[in-house]
Structure formats: structure tokens, C-alpha cells
């Protein structure tokens, strides 16, 4: 297994690997659920409230992860459109790309000050996560809002 994880412009370890078969919808859904589980696990460890699924951040996470995987690009989308969705007052986003499990994605975010701040921001109460497996790696978008 390759351990490649990109957070913004930084890459943590890299090695070429044979491309694995694309996972099915149930595997993708389970991966996304594990990302949310590990984020809420970290929030609980630091005395923060649990994030609940939200339609608005989910739509933005879905569209953005698909866009990043399709184009091979890696950058944050504007948070202004999310703030116009269903009365959101705060919005944030974490992105990751790599051939690692959900717990490793969240651990890498916790090791990055900006990503950690988003996960532990007590103002945030909704989350949407979308993961796409493309080119032998996961592309993950986690969008957060206060609604």
C-alpha cells in the first residue's frame, strides 16, 4: 500500500504503486462515514460538540470532490456560496488526497494547524464529506458549516 497524502501543497510520503480497482458505492459510503466518525472522535476528545450531517455542506463536498478528482486539481473552493446556503453563518473546508484510510486522513488534518482548527471549531455544527477514488488514491472534501 502506498502512503501518499497531500494536504494543500504539502505531500507526506510518496511512492508509485499499481492502481487498484475502484471501490463500489458501499465501500465509498463506508469510507465517508469513517471520516465523519474520526472527525467527531477528535471533537469529543477536545470537548467539542458532535457534527451532524447537513444537506448544504454535503452538496458542496459532493460537487467539489468530484471536480477535483475529474480535473486532477487540488485547491479550495470559495466559501462564499456555502454561506448563502440555508442560513449558514460560518463555513470551512478540509481537503485531502492520498492512498490512505479515513483515520489517517483525519490524523493528517489534526497534524496541520489550519485543518485542525476547522475540525475543532466549536462554532461549526454541520458536516458533509465526499470521497472519490480516482487514479489509485482518495480525493476527500469535508465541508463544515454553522446552521
Amino acid at each position: 500500500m502506498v502512503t501518499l497524502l497531500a494536504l494543500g501543497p504539502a505531500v507526506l510520503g510518496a511512492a508509485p504503486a499499481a492502481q487498484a480497482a475502484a471501490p463500489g458505492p458501499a465501500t465509498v459510503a463506508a469510507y465517508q462515514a469513517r471520516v465523519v466518525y474520526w472527525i467527531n472522535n477528535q471533537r469529543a476528545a477536545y470537548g467539542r460538540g458532535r457534527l451532524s450531517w447537513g444537506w448544504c455542506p454535503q452538496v458542496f463536498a459532493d460537487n467539489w470532490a468530484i471536480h477535483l478528482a475529474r480535473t486532477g486539481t487540488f485547491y479550495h473552493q470559495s466559501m462564499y456560496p456555502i454561506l448563502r446556503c440555508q442560513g449558514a453563518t460560518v463555513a470551512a473546508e478540509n481537503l485531502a488526497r492520498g492512498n490512505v484510510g479515513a483515520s489517517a486522513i483525519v490524523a493528517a488534518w489534526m497534524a496541520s494547524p489550519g485543518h485542525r482548527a476547522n475540525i475543532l471549531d466549536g462554532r461549526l455544527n454541520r458536516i458533509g464529506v465526499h470521497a472519490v477514488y480516482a487514479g489509485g488514491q482518495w480525493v476527500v472534501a469535508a465541508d463544515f458549516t454553522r446552521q
Side-chain angles (χ1 to χ4, degrees):
M1 178 202 261
V2 175
T3 55
L4 169 67
L5 180 62
L7 298 170
V11 176
L12 309 174
Q19 188 168 336
T27 301
V28 173
Y31 188 94
Q32 293 167 172
R34 285 192 304 273
V35 170
V36 174
Y37 169 83
W38 287 111
I39 287 172
N40 277 326
N41 186 280
Q42 288 295 324
R43 287 178 63 89
Y46 287 88
R48 304 304 191 280
R50 183 181 169 280
L51 297 172
S52 299
W53 178 84
W55 173 85
C56 185
Q58 186 64 54
V59 167
F60 283 90
D62 291 346
N63 292 335
W64 199 245
I66 291 166
H67 168 77
L68 294 176
R70 184 178 297 135
T71 62
T73 57
F74 194 70
Y75 59 98
H76 289 283
Q77 64 186 309
S78 172
M79 294 289 98
Y80 291 113
I82 296 174
L83 288 172
R84 292 191 300 266
C85 186
Q86 292 188 329
T89 57
V90 181
E93 178 173 79
N94 284 2
L95 301 176
R97 178 171 50 198
N99 186 11
V100 295
S103 63
I105 294 282
V106 176
W109 283 339
M110 290 301 289
S112 165
H115 296 96
R116 177 188 179 98
N118 289 343
I119 289 171
L120 299 180
D121 189 333
R123 299 172 299 169
L124 300 170
N125 63 4
R126 299 285 183 263
I127 189 169
V129 172
H130 193 83
V132 177
Y133 193 80
Q137 59 188 353
W138 290 100
V139 176
V140 182
D143 284 301
F144 309 88
T145 60
R146 168 80 187 179
Q147 292 177 298

